[in-house]
Amino acid sequence: MQSNTTAPARVGPPPEHTTAGAAVQLVRVHHRLGEVEVLGGIDLAVAHGETVALVGPSGCGKSTLLELVCGLQAPSAGRVDTEPAALLPQRDALLPWADALDNAALPLRLQGAGRGEARGTAAPLLAELGLEGFERARPHELSGGMRQRVAVARALLTGRGLLCLDEPFSALDAITRADTHRWLAGVLAAEPRTVLLVTHDVEEALVLADRVCVLSHRPARIVTELPIPGTRPRDPAADELVALRRAALEALRGC
Amino acid sequence: MLISVAIVLALLGAWELYVRLGSVDALLLPAPSAVAETLVEDRGMLWSNLTVTAAEIGFGILLALAVGLGLAIALHLSRSARTAVYPLLVASQAVPIVVVAPLLILWFGYDLGPKVAIIALLAFFPVVVVTLDALAATDAELLRLLRSMDATRWQRLRFVELPAAVPAAVSGAKVAVAVAVIGAVFAEYSGSDAGLGHLILQSIPQLETARAWAAVVVLAAFAVLLVSILAAAERRLSYGTRLPHSPKGPS
């Protein structure tokens, strides 16, 4: 990842800071899907520029929480106050018939740009994310890691200040995942965003987040919040992180 | 390819023997050699009639595609339209075309128009059914992503559902071609003064059975040609089925 300080100007409008307080504000949020109570009262505030990881057991309602934040569903009860969010789905959700550049440029097309204009705007970012020479490759011609980079480019090009990552790296092998963590930390340093990261991988949360919230089984509540010291990307073998991992895993086990 | 050539040769050989050994009157079933002879002798007549039938089939398929795709999109976008119109579409296919065709000829004459209408009436149905199913089967994850980016209904159709349905629409068109050829013969039987169907209709009472069979061969070859053009289009449009390149660069 080459450092590039001019990057934010190219990516379209800078993140909006219209709400005076938090980028995300959840107040006593409950949610039911049919008869099942998925969320059992979530209170969460995420400050602008902060990266918060939500860690919880599989099926605890983490993805539902992101859908509420992204406005794809309305909560059954409680208040969800967020700025517009860009979703990075679990599977990369790239259009299989479109090449990498068209996929990254999709949000620009949706905002009304013509194809040539959108591709022209997206190309420098794609190159900066390490995908130069792969602009015309279709998703099936790219590796899993490269597909996630295209998906990240697409999320950045929405121009939204809040990124919602839904277990984005769970399909990658361990080595690619570690590489992608380092790479994403670099991207976020160059393109500051507020990030809400949902994962079941405690290590991923500790390496990337400023704060880790541990969720309980359904109906999900936040059982522990762990602030993570140090700058990203962190060394997962550092003493502090080892201690934090133990604390997070104990919280997960206890719930 | 080799196998289909072998199958055709074997069938032709068996057919030739069957006729030569005198088990059937040559006026009922001419030998393949007689049909081949007629193909060469009557090539001018066959060609001029083919141009008539090819125009009917070509315009008929274009109309079937336009109506079929338009209906598929309309029914996809509106649940109430789907509930109301879909049974009518099925019913339209249950009406025997031999009943409707003479009426159309009576109303619109011997020109191209009624024949195109008959062909389209038969051929639009597979296009609607296959395309409608493909539109409904679009990956929900892609649509969820588009909604998260505040895409309008039109944008979801334009950027996700329609491109996803293109390969299915081409498949539907392939079925439509086969139906259209039969439709063209029906239409010309109902009233016409030219075309391969017309030629077949005239040749049989004239005891020119070999000429009727030669017309059938030309029709079949034309259908195979159209389907292979569509198959080539399908290969170009398909995605994700080619062998992936070995991933290079950063992973």
Side-chain angles (χ1 to χ4, degrees):
Chain A
M1 181 68 215
Q2 69 264 42
S3 59
N4 193 335
T5 46
T6 61
R10 290 181 185 165
V11 171
E16 292 162 37
H17 292 268
T18 43
T19 33
V24 177
Q25 181 93 51
L26 303 182
V27 184
R28 288 186 297 281
V29 169
H30 290 259
H31 196 65
R32 304 180 143 275
L33 291 173
E35 289 301 297
V36 184
E37 191 176 7
V38 184
L39 302 177
I42 302 271
D43 288 286
L44 175 68
V46 180
H48 285 287
E50 194 183 13
T51 297
V52 171
L54 298 165
V55 183
S58 292
C60 76
K62 304 186 291 279
S63 296
T64 306
L65 192 56
L66 277 196
E67 294 209 334
L68 299 183
V69 171
C70 290
L72 292 170
Q73 288 191 54
S76 307
R79 220 178 69 226
V80 176
D81 253 340
T82 74
E83 59 176 273
L87 179 65
L88 197 70
Q90 193 162 3
R91 295 183 295 120
D92 43 63
L94 298 178
L95 306 175
W97 52 83
D99 67 20
L101 196 49
D102 277 332
N103 265 297
L106 182 62
L108 303 172
R109 302 291 309 276
L110 295 177
Q111 287 156 22
R115 179 157 184 251
E117 184 193 349
R119 285 174 72 91
T121 311
L125 179 69
L126 217 56
E128 197 184 313
L129 297 191
L131 289 164
E132 191 156 21
F134 290 91
E135 290 87 353
R136 290 174 168 279
R138 303 246 187 114
H140 69 95
E141 298 169 316
L142 298 171
S143 68
M146 292 165 87
R147 282 201 295 274
Q148 273 310 340
R149 290 179 189 214
V150 177
V152 168
R154 180 181 59 195
L156 293 176
L157 284 164
T158 59
R160 295 177 176 181
L162 172 61
L163 295 187
C164 288
L165 314 189
D166 187 2
E167 305 195 8
F169 310 120
S170 56
L172 304 181
D173 64 84
I175 294 170
T176 308
R177 188 158 57 223
D179 283 347
T180 310
H181 289 159
R182 255 194 307 284
W183 170 84
L184 183 64
V187 171
L188 291 174
E191 307 257 353
R193 292 289 197 278
T194 309
V195 178
L196 201 54
L197 166 70
V198 154
T199 179
H200 57 244
D201 180 352
V202 172
E203 180 154 317
E204 180 166 285
L206 295 175
V207 170
L208 287 176
D210 302 314
R211 180 153 56 103
V212 174
C213 298
V214 179
L215 294 173
S216 67
H217 272 294
R218 274 200 314 248
R221 272 185 213 90
I222 293 176
V223 288
T224 312
E225 287 196 32
L226 303 165
I228 315 295
T231 51
R232 294 166 300 185
R234 305 183 185 87
D235 174 11
D239 288 346
E240 283 173 323
L241 251 56
V242 171
L244 281 164
R245 180 182 303 125
R246 191 174 304 126
L249 288 172
E250 265 165 27
L252 272 172
R253 231 171 264 129
C255 63
Chain B
M1 191 61 200
L2 214 61
I3 296 173
S4 56
V5 169
I7 291 174
V8 168
L9 286 179
L11 283 174
L12 286 177
W15 177 359
E16 183 85 35
L17 278 177
Y18 179 61
V19 179
R20 288 272 170 110
L21 293 176
S23 336
V24 63
D25 191 335
L27 285 180
L28 216 54
L29 183 68
S33 54
V35 175
E37 231 169 83
T38 315
L39 272 175
V40 179
E41 272 171 22
D42 292 349
R43 59 185 179 279
M45 184 196 294
L46 288 167
W47 175 258
S48 62
N49 283 295
L50 171 65
T51 54
V52 173
T53 306
E56 293 164 4
I57 292 176
F59 285 119
I61 287 174
L62 286 181
L63 183 61
L65 280 177
V67 173
L69 294 179
L71 267 174
I73 291 169
L75 298 193
H76 177 66
L77 290 179
S78 158
R79 179 189 293 270
S80 51
R82 194 155 61 240
T83 338
V85 176
Y86 204 86
L88 292 180
L89 292 184
V90 177
S92 80
Q93 297 306 296
V95 176
I97 205 74
V98 280
V99 176
V100 192
L103 266 180
L104 287 171
I105 304 282
L106 178 71
W107 291 335
F108 302 111
Y110 276 31
D111 293 341
L112 191 60
K115 299 184 182 69
V116 169
I118 290 165
I119 293 168
L121 193 61
L122 282 171
F124 86 98
F125 189 68
V127 179
V128 177
V129 172
V130 175
T131 308
L132 189 58
D133 283 350
L135 285 171
T138 309
D139 188 346
E141 184 83 1
L142 298 183
L143 293 174
R144 198 174 74 115
L145 179 87
L146 271 264
R147 282 199 295 130
S148 83
M149 297 196 285
D150 293 335
T152 62
R153 185 70 194 86
W154 162 246
Q155 286 177 325
R156 274 183 277 154
L157 185 71
R158 153 93 177 71
F159 288 105
V160 178
E161 291 167 322
L162 280 182
V166 165
V170 177
S171 288
K174 277 161 78 180
V175 180
V177 165
V179 179
V181 172
I182 302 170
V185 173
F186 263 134
E188 290 177 8
Y189 259 60
S190 307
S192 62
D193 43 28
L196 289 171
H198 175 75
L199 188 64
I200 294 170
L201 186 65
Q202 282 200 323
S203 302
I204 291 171
Q206 291 170 2
L207 304 183
E208 296 276 7
T209 327
R211 185 181 290 157
W213 280 87
V216 170
V217 170
V218 173
L219 264 183
F222 181 64
V224 170
L225 174 74
L226 283 182
V227 169
S228 26
I229 290 171
L230 286 170
E234 205 172 23
R235 273 195 300 280
R236 271 190 66 89
L237 290 167
S238 71
Y239 43 85
T241 47
R242 280 168 292 168
L243 280 181
H245 298 176
S246 54
K248 291 156 279 193
S251 54

